[in-house]
Amino acid sequence: MTVVLITGAASGIGAATAREAVRRGHRVAVTDIDLAGADRLAGQLGSAACAVGLDIRDEAAWETAFDTVASRLGPVEVLINNAGIIHTGYARQLSMAQHRHMVEVNLLGPMTGMMTALPRMRAQGHGHIITVCSMSSFLPLIGYTSYGATKHGLRAFHHSVAIEERGGPVTFSIIHPPGTRTPMLEQEMADPSSVITFAEKPLAPERVASVIVDAIVKKPVEVVHPALGGRVQRVAGVFPRLMRVAIPRVAAMAKRRAPGAGAAPAAVHEQDGSR
Ligand SMILES: NC(=O)c1ccc[n+]([C@@H]2O[C@H](COP(=O)([O-])OP(=O)(O)OC[C@H]3O[C@@H](n4cnc5c(N)ncnc54)[C@H](O)[C@@H]3O)[C@@H](O)[C@H]2O)c1
């Protein structure tokens, strides 16, 4: 079956996707900056999987990873650009190093992966690039400034390359998960500045993984979840005046839902009038 390289596959959505892909008969390269975690998961998945250390910020490491996977499982046919990070907090609370870290991992990392995969997939005559993005690629959100900016940029890059490569042998799909129960979400839930995350009930990573693995066969252009609510958010996000009213209201509603959210940092929130 298909050879799939997944980034950030030692944890959360990436790990669930690796499990589901192997369950459906694919061969999977479990890659992560956390090699020990990737090794553990690949060990559980058996001979259909292999672990490869890959820091997606490192251009040379991408080339090595593609070569390693080719020698162990076969040439990469599907790249799932999944790895991502978040530093929670309002923009003014984060250091420039934290803002830069998000841009380097969430935007430049997947861009580098796409630019590594594209010539190889063109040369082999087929390939599929699946980008795991976020609903925050459509919306300006309190507490998600740089994170959302990286996801807006990643969506723009993904679709622009897909248009340039139309008619070529490589297909492109982008998936926008909503809140999903992973270590990343736990990090967000622990920080009152990201309280808007309580606005929706998070999904299990297995649900998102199933959508991602479906995409290997169905090759959708773009998937938002939930289908209806996601489409509304996608349209609403282009109206900044509406967002200035709506997002603080959603955040206030989310705060009422959040267990112990009364502990939000008053200095920041009251000043913004958002809670
Ligand atoms: N969890 C959510 O609610 C949610 C919602 C929407 C989108 N997403 C996106 O889904 C993707 C997966 O998120 P998750 O929730 O599973 O996160 P997670 O924190 O559970 O897993 C992320 C993985 O990425 C790895 N990683 C971090 N930096 C890396 C780097 N430089 N190179 C390679 N690997 C690196 C980590 O080691 C970890 O294994 C991310 O792109 C995230 O933005 C998550």
Side-chain angles (χ1 to χ4, degrees):
M1 286 285 277
T2 313
V3 176
V4 183
L5 186 160
I6 309 175
T7 66
S11 170
I13 293 170
T17 302
R19 284 196 194 92
E20 182 63 11
V22 167
R23 197 185 68 77
R24 294 200 207 173
H26 301 298
R27 278 170 288 164
V28 175
V30 178
T31 80
D32 205 289
I33 194 172
D34 170 12
L35 178 57
D39 263 332
R40 262 194 308 278
L41 179 58
Q44 293 163 14
L45 296 177
S47 59
C50 71
V52 180
L54 172 61
D55 179 343
I56 60 168
R57 296 167 293 180
D58 182 341
E59 199 176 331
W62 270 105
E63 297 291 349
T64 307
F66 268 69
D67 290 341
T68 306
V69 176
S71 67
R72 290 164 74 176
L73 300 177
V76 175
E77 298 170 287
V78 178
L79 165 63
I80 302 182
N81 256 326
N82 163 78
I85 56 148
I86 191 164
H87 293 289
T88 57
Y90 279 32
R92 65 175 179 271
Q93 296 172 311
L94 299 180
S95 68
M96 273 320 295
Q98 290 173 309
H99 287 296
R100 189 170 290 112
H101 187 203
M102 282 185 270
V103 173
E104 286 176 353
V105 176
N106 297 353
L107 180 56
L108 289 170
M111 283 169 62
T112 311
M114 284 172 84
M115 293 303 95
T116 309
L118 195 53
R120 290 172 182 257
M121 289 177 171
R122 284 177 61 89
Q124 71 198 18
H126 71 284
H128 186 187
I129 295 174
I130 300 177
T131 301
V132 178
C133 200
S134 166
M135 290 308 295
S136 69
S137 66
F138 302 112
L139 298 166
L141 290 176
I142 295 166
Y144 291 81
T145 53
S146 295
Y147 178 85
T150 63
K151 298 294 188 179
H152 275 69
L154 180 57
R155 178 172 184 265
F157 185 81
H158 172 101
H159 285 311
S160 302
V161 175
I163 293 168
E164 288 178 356
E165 298 298 322
R166 71 193 179 285
V170 183
T171 45
F172 296 82
S173 302
I174 190 163
I175 315 288
H176 301 284
T180 308
R181 284 193 299 276
T182 68
M184 179 185 280
L185 191 76
E186 281 167 24
Q187 187 188 339
E188 294 163 37
M189 286 178 159
D191 185 342
S193 59
S194 309
V195 73
I196 202 163
T197 201
F198 289 99
E200 60 187 6
K201 195 163 177 271
L203 294 185
E206 291 73 22
R207 285 273 304 279
V208 178
S210 177
V211 173
I212 296 170
V213 180
D214 280 350
I216 295 173
V217 174
K218 294 182 182 165
K219 298 181 167 57
V221 170
E222 181 158 58
V223 180
V224 293
H225 196 97
L228 180 61
R231 286 189 185 117
V232 171
Q233 289 176 32
R234 181 162 58 178
V235 173
V238 301
F239 299 106
R241 199 176 288 276
L242 170 66
M243 290 295 96
R244 290 226 187 146
V245 177
I247 294 295
R249 285 191 184 168
V250 173
M253 180 270 288
K255 187 183 172 190
R256 287 194 294 276
R257 284 190 187 173
V268 171
H269 295 159
E270 282 163 13
Q271 193 179 328
D272 287 351
S274 57
R275 293 173 171 66

